[in-house]
Amino acid sequence: MSDKKIPTPDAAQEPRGVSRRTFLGTGAVTGAVLAGATALGAGTFTRESWAAAAKEAKSKIHVGPGELDEYYGFWSGGHQGEVRVLGVPSMRELMRIPVFNVDSATGWGLTNESKHILGDSAKYKNGDCHHPHISMTDGKYDGKYLFINDKANSRVARIRLDIMKCDKILTVPNVQAIHGLRLQKVPYTKYVFANAEFVIPHPNDGHTFDLQDKNSFTMFNAIDAEKMEMAFQVIVDGNLDNSDADYTGKYAASTCYNSEKAYDLGGMMRNERDWVVVFNIPRIEAAIKAGKFINLDGSKVPVVDGRKVDGKDSEFTRYIPVPKNPHGLNTSPDGKYFIANGKLSPTVSMIAIDRLDDLFNDRYKDPREVIVAEPELGLGPLHTTFDGRGNAYTTLFIDSQVVKWNMDEAIRAYKGEKVNYIKQKLDVQYQPGHNHASLTETSDADGKWLVVLCKFSKDRFLPTGPLHPENDQLIDISGDEMKLVHDGPAFAEPHDCILARRDQIKTQKIWNRNDPFFADTVARAKKDGINLETDNKVIRDGNKVRVYMTSMAPAYGLTEFTVKQGNEVTVTITNIDQIEDVSHGFVMTNHGASMEISPQQTSSITFMADKPGLHWYYCSWFCHALHMEMVGRMLVEKA
Ligand code: RUQ
Ligand code: CUA
Ligand code: CA
């Protein structure tokens, strides 16, 4: 614990003047970025102020036993690969949804149903998800789906929010590292926009390392949200980081930090300015409809070229220069601005969306004429979120703060008026990446809660060895002043989260027997002449053995079956319990087989019976007073 002199909480929360943080030169900012990770000693809260915050927390965020939270929060699990569901404001974890990982409790990555959804990518046992986003209709969450990217294996996954299970995964062709992901907001989420971050050669067949070649590029990707198939790809200059869409359905925008197409740190910081690239969706759609597209490297996906040729813009894109290496890109809930967060610059750039028509019609001499403000906020601005009352909240990674600022006042200041657009700077613990205010990505933004996802927790929790948890902090933003009310330790690495009102998410209590989630298994059973709800039978098909059984607390429909050594065994279980919450499991000991079977669900798992002998199977989800007795035996006869 640090015993150096610490400022009083009041001083710490006072808006700090930004005058001393004039635009720093590359060297200084870069130095600060690089030093940022180690300069964590600046804790400015005293033990007394923590106590005061805790007291405040009690009244504000206490959700009593048996009471329900006001918001659902969906958290990315980062390179752990899953999505986590939390209640807000209690920050209680409600559920985990495995997606790009393997999970033994539910059998995700092990069952036939999940492998079918994972498709070819089932070979990957890892993932790196960053950006969870809920589907929208007319700029409001419709509660149907949640989409999330996988940077590690260039995938996009969809989660059905009615059952809170992943139901589709798509590998984006001919790109590497899907990072920024956002959804079309208006008129509805027709497209999932997904940025591929890394520049690669095309074809990427091992012929070159060269990134400067004209055949080395990356692409902006649009996925049909309902079909979960590729809709189109757009070749861009530079690279792509984060993105967002507007409230007209016409434009999407992405930040680029590697306009240099460099391969190293120094190279990626060479240009004084990188850019925000804006995509004109109707123009892209029209070109594709007219057959004006190419196919790339053996894929059938329509591709259009959004690069400049001899300094001349394509019809599909416009590049707006912004200070070097921007990061987050956020649309304000009033639909007026795209905000690009400076990262290496202490500023954010506000792009007026209502000037984009003119930009695309070449009415401006300089594309920077669409920028209506570039407020200076502090060091390391990464992401911005909104309260729906005209204020924005930006994370300052290096300063370890969230800064609240007023958008209209920032615009007035940019015009030369003397106004202090900074409303408050709040210390957070420590080094925040994303932040997210309740309903902020929709026109419903309600300005109640702000979650700040801090990358470092340092001394905030009981020590856990060299690996520390992260710290997802909850801030009350309903009043004039931001108030920190909760520390939430989290395992690697919740990049981002999203909050929806609880009435916007409607879930099923038990499975529907006709659910497409296990439709393939139902079809296979039908071919085997099996009635899944009543039959307990073993089907022998050469070397393959298919075991069908029911489960009802506390017993399986089959308590023994016999197979031959070398058989490939598929166990299919239908949970005929109708009672909410009575989930069963199935584990075959010493066979790596484990799965969940919730009420009215059918699940199946396949394994090799390669060890002669008696093998117990048992129920792994506590379902009944006699749960321990819910068992059976498999006899494997010597071949
Ligand atoms: S990015 S810390 Cu993967 Cu969302 Cu900004
Ligand atoms: Cu069935 Cu435990
Ligand atoms: Ca750069």
Side-chain angles (χ1 to χ4, degrees):
M1 251 10 77
S2 155
D3 51 13
K4 72 168 121 55
K5 205 162 175 292
I6 344 184
T8 64
D10 278 342
Q13 298 205 10
E14 241 167 45
R16 284 191 198 166
V18 283
S19 49
R20 67 191 170 89
R21 302 176 195 286
T22 47
F23 197 106
L24 297 169
T26 315
V29 178
T30 307
V33 169
L34 300 178
T38 47
L40 291 175
T44 43
F45 266 81
T46 60
R47 287 288 171 194
E48 296 76 68
S49 78
W50 291 345
K55 204 171 165 200
E56 172 95 34
K58 235 177 213 164
S59 62
K60 269 280 183 188
I61 67 162
H62 184 69
V63 179
E67 289 175 6
L68 304 180
D69 278 292
E70 235 181 301
Y71 296 88
Y72 276 102
F74 298 90
W75 257 247
S76 140
H79 45 288
Q80 191 273 346
E82 69 190 4
V83 167
R84 299 164 193 160
V85 188
L86 271 70
V88 175
S90 75
M91 301 288 272
R92 298 180 296 198
E93 186 178 285
L94 307 174
M95 187 45 62
R96 295 178 169 206
I97 307 170
V99 182
F100 302 117
N101 57 331
V102 175
D103 177 60
S104 71
T106 56
W108 185 259
L110 305 173
T111 63
N112 295 313
E113 295 72 37
S114 62
K115 282 181 172 169
H116 182 81
I117 291 162
L118 285 154
D120 285 346
S121 81
K123 62 179 181 281
Y124 301 125
K125 308 294 179 213
N126 73 312
D128 181 11
C129 47
H130 291 213
H131 303 117
H133 293 285
I134 300 171
S135 56
M136 285 178 251
T137 301
D138 292 330
K140 298 174 198 301
Y141 299 134
D142 60 23
K144 210 169 165 192
Y145 300 122
L146 181 125
F147 298 88
I148 192 156
N149 72 300
D150 170 22
K151 179 167 170 177
N153 297 305
S154 308
R155 292 176 289 181
V156 173
R158 181 173 83 182
I159 288 164
R160 262 175 60 194
L161 288 176
D162 64 331
I163 50 172
M164 300 220 181
K165 299 275 186 203
C166 172
D167 82 322
K168 293 272 185 199
I169 291 188
L170 173 74
T171 301
V172 181
N174 293 324
V175 296
Q176 277 180 25
I178 296 297
H179 181 234
L181 178 144
R182 287 296 180 118
L183 309 177
Q184 193 174 18
K185 300 172 194 282
V186 174
Y188 68 99
T189 299
K190 181 176 172 195
Y191 297 124
V192 177
F193 298 122
N195 285 342
E197 186 174 343
F198 297 143
V199 173
I200 55 168
H202 294 271
N204 194 16
D205 56 5
H207 75 282
T208 184
F209 246 144
D210 186 5
L211 301 182
Q212 298 302 329
D213 188 88
K214 77 170 193 332
N215 289 321
S216 293
F217 52 79
T218 190
M219 293 190 284
F220 176 75
N221 305 280
I223 296 158
D224 182 313
E226 202 53 54
K227 295 195 193 124
M228 278 300 276
E229 289 168 4
M230 291 301 301
F232 58 80
Q233 295 179 300
V234 184
I235 302 174
V236 293
D237 287 317
N239 84 332
L240 295 164
D241 191 4
N242 280 295
S243 65
D244 208 343
D246 74 347
Y247 283 87
T248 70
K250 211 164 162 184
Y251 298 114
S254 302
T255 50
C256 158
Y257 64 80
N258 190 9
S259 62
E260 302 88 349
K261 283 168 69 179
Y263 52 81
D264 61 355
L265 196 55
M268 290 183 206
M269 296 191 297
R270 195 176 303 125
N271 293 346
E272 260 327 299
R273 278 178 175 159
D274 291 293
W275 56 62
V276 168
V277 52
V278 183
F279 299 91
N280 189 317
I281 306 303
R283 283 192 188 176
I284 295 166
E285 287 178 323
I288 290 167
K289 213 170 158 200
K292 290 191 278 180
F293 61 84
I294 57 166
N295 296 116
L296 209 63
D297 309 350
S299 134
K300 290 200 178 71
V301 182
V303 176
V304 298
D305 198 336
R307 289 177 294 183
K308 291 186 180 194
V309 179
D310 302 326
K312 230 183 116 355
D313 282 311
S314 79
E315 57 177 310
F316 310 116
T317 55
R318 288 295 180 270
Y319 294 84
I320 304 164
V322 295
K324 67 165 62 186
N325 293 36
H327 183 57
L329 194 291
N330 304 91
T331 311
S332 58
D334 56 13
K336 289 183 180 165
Y337 313 109
F338 285 139
I339 295 183
N341 296 256
K343 191 167 76 184
L344 285 191
S345 158
T347 58
V348 298
S349 305
M350 295 179 73
I351 295 167
I353 291 171
D354 65 4
R355 295 190 185 179
L356 294 177
D357 284 352
D358 281 347
L359 180 67
F360 271 94
N361 292 324
D362 301 319
R363 301 230 167 85
Y364 296 116
K365 265 214 258 15
D366 177 354
R368 276 187 54 88
E369 285 177 50
V370 302
I371 291 175
V372 290
E374 218 150 56
E376 189 176 307
L377 301 176
L379 293 185
L382 289 186
H383 294 278
T384 295
T385 188
F386 309 90
D387 63 11
R389 300 188 294 268
N391 301 306
Y393 301 76
T394 302
T395 49
L396 302 174
F397 182 82
I398 298 166
D399 281 341
S400 263
Q401 290 179 320
V402 172
V403 50
K404 175 180 176 180
W405 55 282
N406 184 277
M407 291 188 285
D408 283 343
E409 290 173 7
I411 292 169
R412 282 162 49 200
Y414 193 68
K415 287 181 188 148
E417 230 181 282
K418 275 226 163 326
V419 283
N420 184 10
Y421 45 79
I422 305 270
K423 299 294 132 194
Q424 187 192 358
K425 290 192 171 189
L426 179 72
D427 288 345
V428 294
Q429 287 73 26
Y430 305 92
Q431 262 61 41
H434 277 269
N435 62 356
H436 189 95
S438 40
L439 307 183
T440 192
E441 282 171 19
T442 70
S443 51
D444 284 333
D446 66 2
K448 284 194 178 164
W449 298 107
L450 174 68
V451 176
V452 179
L453 299 104
C454 297
K455 300 293 182 191
F456 296 80
S457 63
K458 206 193 149 205
D459 52 8
R460 298 293 276 192
F461 307 112
L462 287 176
T464 55
L467 183 62
H468 290 231
E470 306 205 349
N471 188 8
D472 298 341
Q473 296 185 304
L474 186 68
I475 293 169
D476 176 3
I477 55 166
S478 60
D480 283 341
E481 202 188 333
M482 294 185 274
K483 286 188 189 124
L484 176 66
V485 292
H486 182 82
D487 267 12
F491 184 57
E493 184 206 343
H495 282 259
D496 195 4
C497 69
I498 189 165
L499 309 183
R501 260 190 348 255
R502 69 182 188 205
D503 62 274
Q504 293 177 310
I505 310 290
K506 302 223 167 25
T507 62
Q508 296 182 31
K509 289 181 167 23
I510 60 174
W511 284 85
N512 183 325
R513 288 296 304 143
N514 300 318
D515 200 290
F517 191 79
F518 45 77
D520 286 331
T521 308
V522 170
R524 190 232 308 141
K526 206 170 162 197
K527 262 200 225 147
D528 277 341
I530 296 289
N531 180 337
L532 284 168
E533 285 109 72
T534 54
D535 288 351
N536 293 288
K537 270 188 196 158
V538 179
I539 307 279
R540 293 175 205 277
D541 177 7
N543 194 37
K544 293 184 161 72
V545 178
R546 291 188 288 278
V547 180
Y548 291 93
M549 65 176 95
T550 57
S551 69
M552 187 168 200
Y556 293 116
L558 272 184
T559 51
E560 58 178 63
F561 62 88
T562 302
V563 299
K564 283 243 149 46
Q565 183 182 7
N567 281 169
E568 183 198 275
V569 182
T570 298
V571 173
T572 303
I573 302 181
T574 300
N575 181 349
I576 55 174
D577 270 304
Q578 304 257 16
I579 303 162
E580 190 179 352
D581 208 2
V582 181
S583 295
H584 297 291
F586 172 85
V587 171
M588 181 64 76
T589 49
N590 300 346
H591 282 77
S594 175
M595 64 182 179
E596 161 209 359
I597 320 116
S598 280
Q600 297 292 302
Q601 184 180 11
T602 295
S603 305
S604 72
I605 196 158
T606 300
F607 54 89
M608 290 302 294
D610 47 9
K611 293 180 282 281
L614 179 157
H615 303 276
W616 287 88
Y617 52 91
Y618 67 92
C619 175
S620 49
W621 283 85
F622 208 109
C623 56
H624 192 275
L626 296 171
H627 156 78
M628 295 303 289
E629 288 84 346
M630 187 165 171
V631 293
R633 292 164 307 153
M634 168 177 76
L635 191 68
V636 180
E637 294 174 341
K638 258 207 173 93

